[in-house]
Amino acid sequence: MARSRIRVWLIIFFIPIVAVLGGLGYLAWRQSVPAVRVEFQPMPKFIGARTPVTLDLRATRGGVQAVDVRLMQGGTRVNVAQQTFSGPPSNEQRVQLIIAGGTLGLREGAATLEVRARDGFWRPIRVDDRIIASVPITLDFTPPTLEVLASTRYLSRGGGGLVAMRAKGAARVGVAVGDLFFPAFPAGAPDSGLHAALYALPWNLAPNSPITVSAQDEAGNAVSRALAVEIRPRKFPTDTIEISEQFLASKMPELLPERGQIPPDQLLAAFLTVNRDKRKEAEETKRKLAQKSRPAPLFEGAFIQPRNTKVFSNFAETRTYRYQGKDVDTQVHLGYDLASLKTSPVPAANSGVVVWAAPLTIYGNAVVVDHGWGLQTLYGHLSSLEVKDGDQVKKGQELGRSGATGLALGDHLHFEVLIQGISVTPVEWWDGKWIRDHVGRPLREANVPLLQSDQPAAGTDEERP
């Protein structure tokens, strides 16, 4: 009986203690749940007249409820943005801001970007919006300086040009053609501010598209100048390509190996996938390869056309594809198709560095050579490759042999000239006089150190004015 009474008293005594301890532990757990975290994309270092800032907010529990962004300098605190998130709770929120630093009444110099945020998770001790980031930044409202020194005056759609400029205090300098941006490269002594940019006019450039030179600093302060150019009209050819079932049956397994043997009733759908999606994929690859371009020119003199070759398919040729008597697709052929003897040697059009030597969707086995300043050449449909990625090559050095790999009806070389991944007509770069007039002359007028390609080679047609 005594033991029973002791047990009862122990139960009566310990149950409340356990309950209290459990409750305290539960409350302590709720209090310890981490606050909202923030990541900047990317981390800001400067705030300028109009600076984009992106914040990724993540809550552990309860969803992100609110965020408050402030700038602090000395004893001054300025609210930049306040946002409350409605709707179903979400533990992830992205906030994209444009901070107009010059309108906030702060001076240039050191400041602090502070982020406070609140989640919807209940805690015993309520804490208002917590400081989750305090980032030292520099306020800079002064745009870089920009002066256009010289440029190519006369251009054609599907062609290229060059601008020489002086920009100081800039992190990004280049030429905008419509929605396309062509970066400039340093072209003189490190402290001279001299830059040069090769740029392209796409074959389908919309009429009255603006062409501007711009410079932007790390704070997002920007300055631009309209470029005075005269764009000459250019007509581009059209053609009709007949494709047979036999051709598709032999080519589609090569270009879509993941599908294996393709039934006859699916050949047309497979062809459209290749001609549209794989073609687009190749264009994206060319744009990415442009990012590997060297910051100095590597080419010398005119680009060469392989000996004993003839152009049989022109640049920017609109092709209508016919299958079993019906028009099934329309695409634009970029570059030249050059006919010669079967498996003819393919020379490098100029000196440079190989940035691609592998299959490239519709181009089959392909080589891309970088000539610096965003200028590259592409060689497609090769039967064999004699170079690899990273090889330095000289003008005329064999890159491989012509062939019929990829989307090719027969043995030939597909040749392209690219400026920042945008295809331009090769005929300009085969002409030494054109290079001297359109690339060399602006550099001379701007007193930019001359390219080797600006000097005519003795004993060649480049000596002619």
Side-chain angles (χ1 to χ4, degrees), residues 296-353:
L298 307 176
F299 55 96
E300 302 175 16
F303 286 57
I304 60 172
Q305 177 180 351
R307 292 182 179 180
N308 302 319
T309 61
K310 180 181 180 181
V311 177
F312 74 92
S313 186
N314 283 294
F315 170 77
E317 179 180 271
T318 298
R319 290 177 168 180
T320 299
Y321 294 86
R322 290 181 62 82
Y323 180 64
Q324 296 182 346
K326 297 180 180 179
D327 296 348
V328 295
D329 201 12
T330 300
Q331 298 292 335
V332 176
H333 175 263
L334 301 174
Y336 279 166
D337 283 345
L338 304 177
S340 184
L341 298 176
K342 190 174 182 180
T343 63
S344 296
V346 174
N350 217 310
S351 300
V353 177

Side-chain angles (χ1 to χ4, degrees), residues 123-422:
R123 295 173 177 83
I125 301 175
R126 181 66 184 177
V127 179
D128 290 333
D129 296 357
R130 303 182 182 187
I131 297 177
I132 60 173
S134 185
V135 180
I137 53 94
T138 299
L139 299 179
D140 178 6
F141 312 134
T142 304
T145 62
L146 176 64
E147 179 185 4
V148 177
L149 302 176
S151 66
T152 305
R153 180 64 185 271
Y154 300 101
L155 305 104
S156 300
R157 283 196 309 158
L162 180 137
V163 180
M165 66 203 83
R166 180 178 284 109
K168 293 190 175 182
R172 184 174 184 257
V173 184
V175 182
V177 180
D179 295 332
L180 299 173
F181 182 77
F182 298 86
F185 296 89
D191 58 348
S192 68
L194 291 174
H195 290 76
L198 288 171
Y199 66 97
L201 302 187
W203 71 272
N204 58 348
L205 181 69
N208 302 318
S209 294
I211 302 177
T212 57
V213 178
S214 65
Q216 185 179 64
D217 63 20
E218 290 187 84
N221 303 306
V223 60
S224 63
R225 302 281 185 267
L227 203 59
V229 298
E230 181 178 326
I231 301 177
R232 295 167 173 168
R234 175 180 281 161
K235 292 184 178 181
F236 300 104
T238 61
D239 195 10
T240 299
I241 305 295
E242 296 283 350
I243 51 176
S244 65
E245 182 176 323
Q246 181 181 2
F247 170 74
L248 297 184
S250 65
K251 280 294 178 180
M252 293 306 101
E254 172 193 339
L255 294 165
L256 295 172
E258 67 277 8
R259 298 193 184 185
Q261 193 63 33
I262 299 174
D265 63 342
Q266 297 179 21
L267 286 174
L268 176 58
F271 168 75
L272 295 177
T273 296
V274 169
N275 210 34
R276 297 170 182 175
D277 299 345
K278 294 296 183 180
R279 187 181 297 273
K280 182 179 178 181
E281 182 181 321
E283 290 301 305
E284 292 170 352
T285 299
K286 288 190 282 186
R287 300 287 184 92
K288 292 177 181 178
L289 290 176
Q291 299 172 14
K292 295 184 177 183
S293 189
R294 301 295 177 94
L298 307 176
F299 55 96
E300 302 175 16
F303 286 57
I304 60 172
Q305 177 180 351
R307 292 182 179 180
N308 302 319
T309 61
K310 180 181 180 181
V311 177
F312 74 92
S313 186
N314 283 294
F315 170 77
E317 179 180 271
T318 298
R319 290 177 168 180
T320 299
Y321 294 86
R322 290 181 62 82
Y323 180 64
Q324 296 182 346
K326 297 180 180 179
D327 296 348
V328 295
D329 201 12
T330 300
Q331 298 292 335
V332 176
H333 175 263
L334 301 174
Y336 279 166
D337 283 345
L338 304 177
S340 184
L341 298 176
K342 190 174 182 180
T343 63
S344 296
V346 174
N350 217 310
S351 300
V353 177
V354 176
V355 293
W356 182 275
L360 181 57
T361 69
I362 62 169
Y363 296 112
N365 294 328
V367 173
V368 177
V369 177
D370 174 52
H371 306 287
W373 278 5
L375 182 65
Q376 297 178 336
T377 47
L378 181 150
Y379 312 77
H381 305 315
L382 305 184
S383 59
S384 63
L385 304 176
E386 298 296 330
V387 293
K388 63 183 183 301
D389 194 355
D391 282 355
Q392 293 188 355
V393 296
K394 296 294 185 181
K395 182 191 296 188
Q397 179 177 332
E398 184 175 326
L399 303 175
R401 297 276 174 153
S402 67
T405 58
L407 197 60
L409 292 170
D411 187 297
H412 69 279
L413 170 65
H414 175 88
F415 176 70
E416 289 188 35
V417 177
L418 305 160
I419 299 177
Q420 289 298 324
I422 304 298

Side-chain angles (χ1 to χ4, degrees), residues 302 430 432-433 436 457 459-465:
W430 283 345
K433 184 178 184 302
R436 292 198 305 277
T460 71
D461 62 354
E462 294 181 56
E463 294 178 327
R464 295 196 298 268

Side-chain angles (χ1 to χ4, degrees), residues 55-77:
L55 302 84
D56 284 335
L57 303 166
R58 292 181 176 84
T60 304
R61 294 174 180 271
V64 181
Q65 281 197 338
V67 64
D68 183 3
V69 183
R70 305 173 185 179
L71 273 172
M72 294 182 296
Q73 188 180 65
T76 305
R77 174 178 294 175

